[in-house]
Amino acid sequence: ETGVTQSPTHLIKTRGQQVTLRCSSQSGHNTVSWYQQALGQGPQFIFQYYREEENGRGNFPPRFSGLQFPNYSSELNVNALELDDSALYLCASSLVGRTSSYNEQFFGPGTRLTVL
Amino acid sequence: GESVGLHLPTLSVQEGDNSIINCAYSNSASDYFIWYKQESGKGPQFIIDIRSNMDKRQGQRVTVLLNKTVKHLSLQIAATQPGDSAVYFCAENIQGGSEKLVFGKGMKLTVNP
């Protein structure tokens, strides 16, 4: 177990609805990254939050947004859901420091979102 | 449950054999590479990493080889066990900025007892 938790585990929504997914990072970690994993594919980077600010974004439209809270937990919000948003949404936490060394990302179990 | 492995290339091996999983990466500027294992219903789990200034790194039962000339990574698993059955992804990282991981397509490894 990585210590990264996500809720809910499964979720079913309909097209046009909005959804909020939650992630609690591993104790001591200050950075959360969100990934979308479609069926049979590798995870794709959505965005990263560091100290409550967005710190990089992948090729996802603005209807994908996020928040990071002072306790470093995070939310992923998706508006105007589309069928293609059906996927496993993963969050990963890491501790980013002042050095330029890569910091290992620890993944949660994911939230399975189905859009009907 | 099993959806992570659907539609992925599959490698089937016998228990005790050695397994080799290959990966081609895309960006010659990538300087850090990681292999992840993803079991059904779980998030990716770190296996081993390698920096671009190395061409080989060994862990417990696993070895990663990096060929920067052809932008190729491989993961070798010695004495494969049923518990190694999972989907394996390589990921590359470009230093700087948000440490965005770019994942490969993945390979499903099935170990037959």
Side-chain angles (χ1 to χ4, degrees), chain B residues 22-105:
Chain B
N22 296 305
C23 174
Y25 64 92
S26 57
N27 196 322
S28 56
S30 297
D31 58 2
Y32 188 81
F33 304 89
I34 311 105
W35 278 100
Y36 284 93
K37 171 186 180 183
Q38 188 172 22
E39 296 173 287
S40 179
K42 297 184 179 179
Q45 177 188 359
F46 174 95
I47 301 173
I48 191 168
D49 58 2
I50 189 168
R51 296 192 181 277
S52 58
N53 61 353
M54 304 170 69
D55 53 22
K56 181 179 180 178
R57 189 161 188 232
Q58 287 185 290
Q60 188 176 14
R61 283 201 308 118
V62 294
T63 301
V64 55
L65 300 177
L66 173 63
N67 184 330
K68 294 182 288 292
T69 303
V70 295
K71 293 190 284 187
H72 183 267
L73 270 172
S74 68
L75 176 71
Q76 300 177 0
I77 305 174
T80 314
Q81 302 168 0
D84 295 326
S85 294
V87 177
Y88 290 80
F89 293 98
C90 66
E92 57 186 300
N93 175 259
I94 302 172
Q95 192 50 269
S98 61
E99 298 186 337
K100 161 186 170 181
L101 289 175
V102 178
F103 283 80
K105 290 184 183 298

Side-chain angles (χ1 to χ4, degrees), chain A residues 7-64:
Chain A
S7 63
T9 54
H10 295 83
L11 198 53
I12 299 175
K13 291 284 189 178
T14 56
R15 274 187 306 174
Q17 285 189 311
Q18 178 266 342
V19 69
T20 297
L21 309 182
R22 296 179 174 84
C23 172
S24 291
S25 57
Q26 185 167 323
S27 178
H29 285 183
N30 57 12
T31 302
V32 173
S33 302
W34 285 93
Y35 293 82
Q36 180 195 65
Q37 186 175 22
L39 200 63
Q41 303 289 324
Q44 290 206 355
F45 177 75
I46 303 174
F47 44 54
Q48 182 182 82
Y49 278 81
Y50 171 63
R51 293 185 174 180
E52 302 178 55
E53 293 192 357
E54 188 178 290
N55 181 41
R57 187 179 185 93
N59 189 25
F60 281 82
R63 60 189 184 84
F64 286 77

Side-chain angles (χ1 to χ4, degrees), chain A:
Chain A
E1 299 297 326
T2 63
V4 180
T5 60
Q6 293 186 243
S7 63
T9 54
H10 295 83
L11 198 53
I12 299 175
K13 291 284 189 178
T14 56
R15 274 187 306 174
Q17 285 189 311
Q18 178 266 342
V19 69
T20 297
L21 309 182
R22 296 179 174 84
C23 172
S24 291
S25 57
Q26 185 167 323
S27 178
H29 285 183
N30 57 12
T31 302
V32 173
S33 302
W34 285 93
Y35 293 82
Q36 180 195 65
Q37 186 175 22
L39 200 63
Q41 303 289 324
Q44 290 206 355
F45 177 75
I46 303 174
F47 44 54
Q48 182 182 82
Y49 278 81
Y50 171 63
R51 293 185 174 180
E52 302 178 55
E53 293 192 357
E54 188 178 290
N55 181 41
R57 187 179 185 93
N59 189 25
F60 281 82
R63 60 189 184 84
F64 286 77
S65 63
L67 282 173
Q68 187 181 31
F69 301 99
N71 67 355
Y72 303 123
S73 65
S74 178
E75 287 182 354
L76 165 65
N77 299 291
V78 187
N79 293 323
L81 283 166
E82 301 177 0
L83 297 180
D84 285 349
D85 295 334
S86 295
L88 180 69
Y89 288 85
L90 296 160
C91 79
S93 76
S94 57
L95 175 61
V96 174
R98 293 179 180 275
T99 69
S100 61
S101 298
Y102 177 78
N103 302 286
E104 183 182 342
Q105 297 189 23
F106 294 83
F107 284 84
T111 293
R112 171 72 61 189
L113 172 65
T114 302
V115 182
L116 302 176

